Amino acid sequence: MKATVLHAAEDVRIEDVPDARIEQPTDAVIRITRACICGSDLWPYKSLDPSEGARIMGHEAIGVVEEIGDDVARIKTGDLVVMPFAFSDGTCEFCHEGLQTECVHKGFFGNGKAGIGGAQAEALRIPLADGTLYPLSADSDEALLPSLLTLADVLGTGHHAAVVAKVEAGKSVAVVGDGAVGLCGVIAAKRLGAEQIIILGRHADRTDLARDLGATDVVAERGEEAVERTRELTGGFGAHSVLECVGLDQSTETAIAVARPGGAVGRVGVPQHTAMPGARASFYGNVTIAGGPAPVRAYIDELLPDIIDGKIEPGRVFDRTVGLDEVPQGYRAMNDRESLKVMVRP
Ligand SMILES: [Zn+2]
């Protein structure tokens, strides 16, 4: 089968790899209907050293179950399913708490771990299929597929940032980052009733979309100026909740600086450094810092009905669709900021 293989920085190729197949009785194999390229895929795309080994990319997809192992009971062949970016057993105490990304048997797709495949491919082996996959209604409207695809990562991740940043009705929210996760953070903040939603981003086309999705204010400045401007917009004190959707030192520092005293920062941008900035600013501001890999599997129950009812349209973050053979161009387009988020139709 064909899959997207990253060999080294900026060296991504479509290659023939061994077919996805059942290896454990708890596995399923899905045929990929739609996948996409994630902002977090751009980190290894920019920096992978060949010594780290090639990896099959992709961790977001919708697919049809082609085959199941003998111990799979809940998922059936032919099911249309969402594949969250992490797999989980669905039975441990963390899964029961709705924190599947801390499952005792968890793992992440498309990150190069031996034996784990990626979703930018024709098919994918899903470990722990009963706990991992989320079945959709078989007659799901094709027009909804882009929005349903965001349940695999970006919508649930933006929602997680909002939840851990304690977004509440009537409160102010600042969203740091205008990528797909930041835009989904805007959708999530609006959905949770935030009164003021400030997006911090420099790309006019993206911040325009953010306004369309519910942002009330745009801060295009960076660094100190962005902090000043955000404080001005929030009565001088900063936002109750801040969603950090980038993962860089500067964005994290900005996120902490624009939080109101006693406020909270929800971090979902994958941190690119080992130490966290803003130790003093967050301490003296009594700012709560929370977040991590979003348990998107848990959030589908809550978010899916709003997509089906048309209340939210997170699929608007996709601005380009490519076939599998054009995935390398998709990476380039996203890396060059020519494209916000690329959908893949194998
Ligand atoms: Zn578990």
Coordinates of all heavy atoms in Angstrom, one line a residue, residues 172-176 198 200 219 223-231 234 236-243 251-261 263-265 281 287:
S172 N -13.7 36.4 29.4 CA -12.8 36.8 28.3 C -11.8 35.7 28.0 O -11.3 35.0 28.9 CB -12.1 38.1 28.6 OG -11.4 38.0 29.8
V173 N -11.5 35.5 26.7 CA -10.6 34.5 26.3 C -9.6 35.1 25.3 O -10.0 35.8 24.4 CB -11.4 33.3 25.6 CG1 -10.4 32.2 25.0 CG2 -12.4 32.7 26.5
A174 N -8.3 34.7 25.4 CA -7.3 35.1 24.4 C -6.8 33.8 23.8 O -6.5 32.8 24.5 CB -6.2 35.9 25.0
V175 N -6.7 33.7 22.5 CA -6.3 32.5 21.8 C -4.9 32.9 21.1 O -4.9 33.8 20.3 CB -7.3 32.0 20.7 CG1 -6.7 30.8 20.0 CG2 -8.6 31.7 21.4
V176 N -3.9 32.2 21.6 CA -2.5 32.5 21.0 C -2.3 31.5 19.9 O -2.1 30.3 20.1 CB -1.4 32.5 22.1 CG1 -0.1 32.7 21.5 CG2 -1.7 33.4 23.2
I198 N -10.4 37.0 21.9 CA -9.3 37.7 21.2 C -8.4 36.7 20.5 O -7.9 35.8 21.2 CB -8.5 38.6 22.2 CG1 -9.5 39.5 23.0 CG2 -7.4 39.3 21.5 CD1 -8.9 40.1 24.2
L200 N -4.8 36.1 18.8 CA -3.5 36.7 18.5 C -2.9 36.0 17.3 O -2.6 34.8 17.4 CB -2.6 36.6 19.7 CG -2.9 37.5 20.9 CD1 -4.1 37.1 21.7 CD2 -1.7 37.6 21.8
V219 N -5.6 40.6 17.5 CA -4.3 41.3 17.9 C -3.2 40.8 17.0 O -2.9 39.6 17.0 CB -3.9 41.0 19.4 CG1 -2.5 41.5 19.7 CG2 -4.9 41.7 20.3
G223 N 4.9 39.8 20.6 CA 5.7 40.1 21.8 C 5.0 41.1 22.7 O 3.8 41.0 23.0
E224 N 5.9 42.0 23.2 CA 5.4 43.0 24.2 C 4.2 43.8 23.7 O 3.3 44.1 24.5 CB 6.5 44.0 24.5 CG 7.1 43.9 25.9 CD 6.1 43.5 27.0 OE1 5.2 44.3 27.4 OE2 6.3 42.4 27.5
E225 N 4.2 44.1 22.4 CA 3.1 44.9 21.9 C 1.8 44.1 21.9 O 0.7 44.7 22.1 CB 3.4 45.4 20.4 CG 4.5 46.5 20.3 CD 4.8 46.8 18.9 OE1 4.1 46.4 18.0 OE2 5.9 47.4 18.7
A226 N 1.9 42.9 21.6 CA 0.7 42.0 21.7 C 0.2 42.0 23.1 O -1.1 42.0 23.3 CB 1.1 40.6 21.2
V227 N 1.1 41.9 24.0 CA 0.6 41.9 25.4 C -0.1 43.1 25.8 O -1.2 43.1 26.4 CB 1.9 41.6 26.4 CG1 1.5 41.7 27.8 CG2 2.5 40.2 26.1
E228 N 0.5 44.3 25.4 CA -0.1 45.6 25.7 C -1.5 45.7 25.1 O -2.4 46.1 25.8 CB 0.8 46.7 25.2 CG 2.1 47.0 26.0 CD 1.8 47.1 27.4 OE1 0.9 48.0 27.8 OE2 2.4 46.4 28.3
R229 N -1.5 45.3 23.8 CA -2.8 45.5 23.1 C -3.9 44.6 23.7 O -5.0 45.0 23.9 CB -2.5 45.1 21.6 CG -3.7 45.2 20.7 CD -4.0 46.7 20.4 NE -5.3 46.8 19.7 CZ -6.3 47.4 20.3 NH1 -6.2 48.1 21.4 NH2 -7.5 47.5 19.6
T230 N -3.5 43.3 24.1 CA -4.5 42.4 24.7 C -5.0 43.0 26.1 O -6.2 42.9 26.4 CB -3.9 41.0 24.9 OG1 -3.3 40.6 23.6 CG2 -4.9 40.0 25.3
R231 N -4.0 43.5 26.8 CA -4.5 44.1 28.1 C -5.4 45.3 27.9 O -6.4 45.4 28.6 CB -3.2 44.5 28.9 CG -2.5 43.3 29.5 CD -1.5 43.8 30.6 NE -0.7 42.6 31.0 CZ 0.6 42.6 31.3 NH1 1.2 43.8 31.2 NH2 1.2 41.5 31.6
T234 N -8.8 44.2 27.4 CA -9.5 43.5 28.5 C -9.5 44.3 29.8 O -9.3 43.8 30.9 CB -8.7 42.1 28.8 OG1 -7.3 42.4 28.9 CG2 -9.0 41.1 27.6
G236 N -7.4 46.3 30.9 CA -6.1 46.5 31.6 C -5.5 45.3 32.3 O -4.3 45.3 32.7
F237 N -6.3 44.3 32.5 CA -5.8 43.1 33.3 C -5.4 41.9 32.6 O -4.8 41.0 33.2 CB -6.9 42.8 34.4 CG -7.1 43.9 35.4 CD1 -8.4 44.4 35.6 CD2 -6.1 44.4 36.1 CE1 -8.6 45.4 36.5 CE2 -6.3 45.4 37.0 CZ -7.5 45.9 37.2
G238 N -5.9 41.7 31.4 CA -5.7 40.4 30.7 C -6.9 39.6 30.6 O -8.0 39.9 31.2
A239 N -6.8 38.4 30.0 CA -8.0 37.6 29.8 C -8.1 36.5 30.9 O -7.1 36.1 31.4 CB -7.9 36.8 28.4
H240 N -9.4 36.2 31.2 CA -9.6 35.1 32.2 C -9.0 33.8 31.7 O -8.4 33.1 32.6 CB -11.1 34.9 32.3 CG -11.9 36.0 33.0 ND1 -12.6 36.9 32.2 CD2 -12.0 36.4 34.2 CE1 -13.2 37.8 33.0 NE2 -12.8 37.5 34.3
S241 N -9.1 33.5 30.5 CA -8.6 32.2 29.9 C -7.8 32.5 28.7 O -8.1 33.3 27.9 CB -9.8 31.3 29.5 OG -10.7 31.1 30.6
V242 N -6.6 31.8 28.6 CA -5.8 31.9 27.5 C -5.5 30.5 26.9 O -5.2 29.6 27.7 CB -4.4 32.6 27.9 CG1 -3.6 32.8 26.6 CG2 -4.7 33.9 28.6
L243 N -5.7 30.4 25.6 CA -5.4 29.1 24.9 C -4.1 29.2 24.2 O -4.0 30.0 23.2 CB -6.6 28.8 23.9 CG -7.9 28.3 24.5 CD1 -8.4 29.1 25.7 CD2 -9.0 28.3 23.4
S251 N 5.5 32.1 22.3 CA 4.0 32.1 22.3 C 3.6 31.7 23.8 O 2.6 32.3 24.3 CB 3.5 31.1 21.3 OG 4.0 29.8 21.6
T252 N 4.3 30.9 24.4 CA 4.0 30.5 25.8 C 4.2 31.7 26.7 O 3.3 32.0 27.6 CB 4.8 29.3 26.3 OG1 4.7 28.3 25.3 CG2 4.4 28.8 27.6
E253 N 5.3 32.4 26.5 CA 5.5 33.6 27.3 C 4.4 34.6 27.1 O 3.9 35.2 28.1 CB 6.8 34.2 26.9 CG 7.6 34.8 28.0 CD 9.1 35.0 27.6 OE1 9.7 34.0 27.3 OE2 9.5 36.2 27.6
T254 N 4.0 34.8 25.9 CA 2.9 35.8 25.6 C 1.6 35.3 26.2 O 0.9 36.1 26.8 CB 2.7 35.9 24.1 OG1 3.9 36.4 23.5 CG2 1.5 36.8 23.7
A255 N 1.3 34.0 26.2 CA 0.1 33.4 26.7 C 0.0 33.7 28.2 O -1.0 34.1 28.7 CB 0.0 31.9 26.5
I256 N 1.2 33.5 28.9 CA 1.2 33.7 30.4 C 1.0 35.2 30.6 O 0.3 35.6 31.5 CB 2.5 33.2 31.0 CG1 2.4 31.6 30.9 CG2 2.7 33.7 32.4 CD1 3.7 30.9 31.2
A257 N 1.7 36.1 29.8 CA 1.6 37.5 30.1 C 0.2 38.1 29.8 O -0.1 39.1 30.4 CB 2.7 38.2 29.2
V258 N -0.6 37.5 28.9 CA -1.9 38.1 28.7 C -3.0 37.5 29.5 O -4.2 37.8 29.4 CB -2.3 38.0 27.2 CG1 -1.3 38.7 26.3 CG2 -2.5 36.5 26.7
A259 N -2.6 36.6 30.5 CA -3.6 36.0 31.4 C -3.8 37.0 32.5 O -2.9 37.6 33.0 CB -3.1 34.7 32.0
R260 N -5.0 37.2 32.9 CA -5.4 38.0 34.0 C -4.9 37.4 35.3 O -4.8 36.2 35.4 CB -6.9 38.1 34.0 CG -7.7 38.9 35.0 CD -9.2 38.5 34.8 NE -10.0 39.0 35.9 CZ -10.5 40.2 35.9 NH1 -10.5 40.9 34.9 NH2 -11.2 40.5 37.0
P261 N -4.6 38.2 36.3 CA -4.2 37.6 37.6 C -5.3 36.6 38.1 O -6.5 36.9 38.0 CB -4.2 38.8 38.6 CG -3.8 39.9 37.7 CD -4.5 39.7 36.4
G263 N -6.0 34.0 36.4 CA -6.5 33.4 35.2 C -5.9 32.0 34.9 O -5.1 31.5 35.8
A264 N -6.2 31.4 33.8 CA -5.6 30.1 33.5 C -5.2 30.1 32.0 O -5.8 30.7 31.1 CB -6.7 29.0 33.7
V265 N -4.1 29.3 31.8 CA -3.6 29.1 30.5 C -3.8 27.6 30.1 O -3.3 26.8 30.9 CB -2.1 29.5 30.4 CG1 -1.5 29.1 29.0 CG2 -1.9 31.0 30.7
A281 N 6.4 35.2 36.0 CA 5.1 35.9 35.6 C 3.9 35.1 36.0 O 2.9 35.6 36.5 CB 5.1 36.2 34.1
V287 N -1.3 32.5 38.1 CA -1.9 31.9 36.9 C -1.8 30.4 36.9 O -0.7 29.9 37.1 CB -1.2 32.5 35.6 CG1 -1.7 31.8 34.4 CG2 -1.5 34.0 35.5

